[in-house]
Amino acid sequence: MTESERYTVISADCHAGADLLDYKPYLESRHHEDFDVWAATYVNPYEDLLADTADRNWNSERRLAELARDGIVAEVVFPNTIPPFFPSASLMAPAPTREEYALRWAGLRAHNRWLADFCAAARGRRAGVFQILLNDVDEAVKEIRWAVTAGLTGGLLLPGTPPGSGLPELHARVYDPIWAVCAELGVPVNHHAGSASPPLGEEPAARAVFMVETTWFSHRALWHLMFGGAFRRHPGLRLVLTEQGSGWIPGVLEMLDYYHGRLVAAATRADTAESKFGAGLADQMGKGPSEVWRENCFVGASFMRPHEAALRERIGLDKVMWGSDYPHDEGTYPYSREGLRAAYAGLPRAEVAAMVGGNAARVYGFDLERLDALAAEVGPTAAELAEPLKEPPADATSPVFAPGGSVRVW
């Protein structure tokens, strides 16, 4: 790559959704009356969805233009706005009763159908991540098959099973039909931060505890699926952990390897207190955690920081997929070029190319040749991203620019 050549940047973490009333045409008609009643009294709790910039979630032309100005030619599209019958963002609202499940399931299916149209409006540049609920596995499998036929290439958004949800834990065999169909059809299973935390309240302490714990609750999906044997039974299954940071991965893999080795060994010694904890684990899991990570797992490394980029080889160069988190305030827009410089300046160009686009193209099925042509017009140049960022933009809001270590000192 010469200095004038441009990187093909794919954001592996963006968010979108319809305006509230625009979901109605995507609902089955039997739900229209209930929707009218719900929408008439619903109060949106999110300031960013009430601001004059809220249409970034659904205004296709505005979105394409803003992402292009930011150097991004394609995106993986997670949900953002409130789907019908949900009290808040669907990432954080598991259905508590059968009645609520029925309505919320209808609302998520409406979102998925809206998303299929939204992605079709920029075909080849959006990989839509569709939603399911875990209350009815058979219905979830049907929706996965529908989503593939509808062209939603971003894969499945895996809900969490937070304490109090009443759902079986993710390691349970009851979810095997979901893993099986995803492996069969090549559907990535995405687990996004914020989707597995229990409700904690609105007190200052509760909000602080949420910030401390939310990524940990999201990480749980990794060891649940590993120890539950999902990857042994379904070798083609791929798990993507998005907007949960990436610097934690080497240490957690070491910890998981330690427990795996310790418990498998203990199972062979019936006279030890730990033998029961490792009983059957080797047969259920097959390979150890680090090997499963290498073969089946990826990270959506939203607004990646320099200290995380330094761990890229331990994480896996073929695992890291940078994301801008557009249109969120914590995302890098409109300073994604600066964010990329902060994280990747000075790194080998082939490695940067993989992390900013090549890996995401492989996981989500983007046509790189087509996107390269777009990137030749709008992508950041090799010379631009090689230039260290000495000062962050004054009005930048992304954590990648936070003082105290995110920007390299040169």
Side-chain angles (χ1 to χ4, degrees):
M1 175 180 279
T2 66
E3 290 195 352
S4 62
E5 288 182 292
R6 297 178 183 269
Y7 287 106
T8 299
V9 181
I10 299 169
S11 172
D13 181 27
C14 289
H15 295 265
D19 199 1
L20 191 71
L21 298 181
D22 289 342
Y23 277 123
K24 183 175 179 179
Y26 294 95
L27 280 167
E28 295 175 75
S29 58
R30 62 193 174 96
H31 295 296
H32 283 184
E33 186 174 341
D34 286 334
F35 176 82
D36 290 341
V37 172
W38 172 78
T41 58
Y42 182 75
V43 178
N44 196 315
Y46 299 109
E47 291 182 7
D48 63 318
L49 297 180
L50 300 172
D52 58 5
T53 56
D55 73 326
R56 287 173 173 158
N57 286 281
W58 57 80
N59 184 329
S60 184
E61 292 306 314
R62 176 178 184 170
R63 189 180 186 97
L64 288 171
E66 291 189 349
L67 287 173
R69 284 197 296 272
D70 221 21
I72 297 168
V73 295
E75 56 175 329
V76 180
V77 186
F78 286 86
N80 198 44
T81 62
I82 312 301
F85 309 117
F86 277 76
S88 59
S90 54
L91 277 174
M92 303 174 66
T97 66
R98 290 191 64 84
E99 293 75 17
E100 284 297 314
Y101 162 75
L103 287 174
R104 293 187 190 183
W105 181 234
L108 288 194
R109 293 178 77 243
H111 171 81
N112 293 343
R113 281 142 188 81
W114 172 87
L115 182 63
D117 283 350
F118 187 69
C119 291
R123 199 173 301 278
R125 299 183 66 178
R126 292 177 182 145
V129 177
F130 61 91
Q131 299 183 80
I132 62 166
L133 290 172
L134 296 175
N135 306 61
D136 188 323
V137 170
D138 290 340
E139 282 298 309
V141 169
K142 289 178 187 176
E143 190 70 2
I144 293 166
R145 292 192 179 278
W146 170 85
V148 171
T149 64
L152 291 173
T153 58
L156 161 73
L157 179 60
L158 177 64
T161 56
S165 70
L167 295 168
E169 294 282 7
L170 289 176
H171 60 69
R173 292 288 291 267
V174 68
Y175 301 125
D176 251 25
I178 294 175
W179 317 142
V181 72
C182 287
E184 172 198 341
L185 300 177
V187 173
V189 174
N190 305 280
H191 195 54
H192 195 283
S195 62
S197 300
L200 296 171
E202 289 299 323
E203 298 83 0
R207 293 194 294 270
V209 168
F210 172 82
M211 288 299 295
V212 171
E213 294 183 344
T214 184
T215 52
W216 182 86
F217 274 107
S218 297
H219 300 344
R220 293 175 77 225
L222 177 64
W223 51 83
H224 276 242
L225 268 65
M226 282 182 170
F227 287 143
F231 299 105
R232 181 190 65 77
R233 295 188 299 275
H234 312 287
L237 185 65
R238 293 174 296 164
L239 175 67
V240 183
L241 302 173
T242 297
E243 204 179 331
Q244 304 177 30
S246 57
W248 59 275
I249 292 168
V252 165
L253 290 178
E254 289 178 4
M255 180 265 291
L256 296 177
D257 283 338
Y258 165 75
Y259 277 108
H260 174 259
R262 172 178 162 181
L263 295 175
V264 167
T268 66
R269 300 190 296 272
D271 59 336
T272 67
E274 282 193 340
S275 61
K276 63 180 180 293
F277 291 99
L281 183 62
D283 290 338
Q284 178 162 287
M285 272 192 71
K287 299 169 182 174
S290 284
E291 193 171 356
V292 171
W293 174 267
R294 287 193 297 270
E295 295 186 5
N296 300 91
C297 303
F298 302 85
V299 58
S302 309
F303 38 81
M304 196 173 191
R305 301 159 180 82
H307 72 275
E308 294 171 312
L311 297 170
R312 64 196 182 281
E313 292 184 355
R314 294 178 62 194
I315 297 167
L317 272 168
D318 60 337
K319 304 296 179 185
V320 176
M321 302 181 292
W322 176 87
S324 72
D325 199 30
Y326 175 93
H328 289 165
D329 287 344
E330 65 268 28
T332 51
Y333 176 82
Y335 300 115
S336 289
R337 288 179 168 84
E338 289 81 357
L340 290 167
R341 287 171 57 196
Y344 298 137
L347 302 187
R349 290 173 182 175
E351 295 182 8
V352 175
M355 292 187 286
V356 304
N359 294 336
R362 187 177 74 257
V363 171
Y364 294 106
F366 287 103
D367 183 343
L368 260 185
E369 186 175 347
R370 180 187 173 195
L371 294 179
D372 286 346
L374 294 169
E377 300 294 327
V378 302
T381 66
E384 182 181 3
L385 293 199
E387 181 68 23
L389 185 67
K390 294 182 172 61
E391 293 290 338
D395 58 343
T397 55
S398 173
V400 77
F401 302 117
S406 283
V407 177
R408 284 192 180 99
V409 178
W410 297 89

